[in-house]
Amino acid sequence: MLLAIPLLIIPFALYNLAMTGLFGDGGAAVLDSEVMAVNMLSGTTWTMAFGDLLILIALVLLFVEILKATRPGSRALLDHMLSMVLFVVFLVEFLLVQGAATQIFFILMTITFIDVIAGFAVSIRTASRDLSIGL
């Protein structure tokens, strides 16, 4: 049952915790706070903001979610349904909550949408291969 929980709930929770002030002052300004800086060989400094880190985490988790979609069984159906619920929650929060009207949240919501569509597409594709026609 725990394996059916969509992993993309992690960036969703981190974003909402950041908006409430757990990682600093709260609000959209926390998304621009610098997480790390690396001096490059070219002499410039590459910085990663908290919002960028959330997107990176979401992309890694999207990869894992697509791998989870390839497993057969009834657990995959529950996983797809919960992913769809998470996307709807993302969409409702994006439309109704002032702190969610940011580019970072929109990209996270798009990643969740891709998870929903890819999960159903992979499941349909693998299910069509499992169907034997009696040859």
Side-chain angles (χ1 to χ4, degrees), residues 62-135:
L62 175 64
F63 174 73
V64 175
E65 283 291 323
I66 291 174
L67 288 179
K68 281 175 43 180
T70 61
R71 63 172 197 259
S74 61
R75 196 180 320 155
L77 181 62
L78 180 62
D79 188 27
H80 298 320
M81 289 183 346
L82 291 175
S83 292
M84 177 65 85
V85 168
L86 181 63
F87 171 69
V88 169
V89 170
F90 259 103
L91 184 61
V92 167
E93 186 171 340
F94 180 70
L95 294 173
L96 299 179
V97 178
Q98 185 177 8
T102 64
Q103 296 88 343
I104 303 296
F105 195 83
F106 180 77
I107 292 171
L108 292 174
M109 182 179 66
T110 304
I111 290 171
T112 305
F113 179 71
I114 291 170
D115 173 39
V116 170
I117 298 301
F120 282 119
V122 167
S123 292
I124 289 170
R125 184 74 175 155
T126 57
S128 67
R129 289 185 180 173
D130 288 343
L131 181 66
S132 69
I133 55 174
L135 293 177

Side-chain angles (χ1 to χ4, degrees), residues 18-30:
M19 288 298 117
T20 60
L22 186 68
F23 302 122
D25 295 334
V30 74

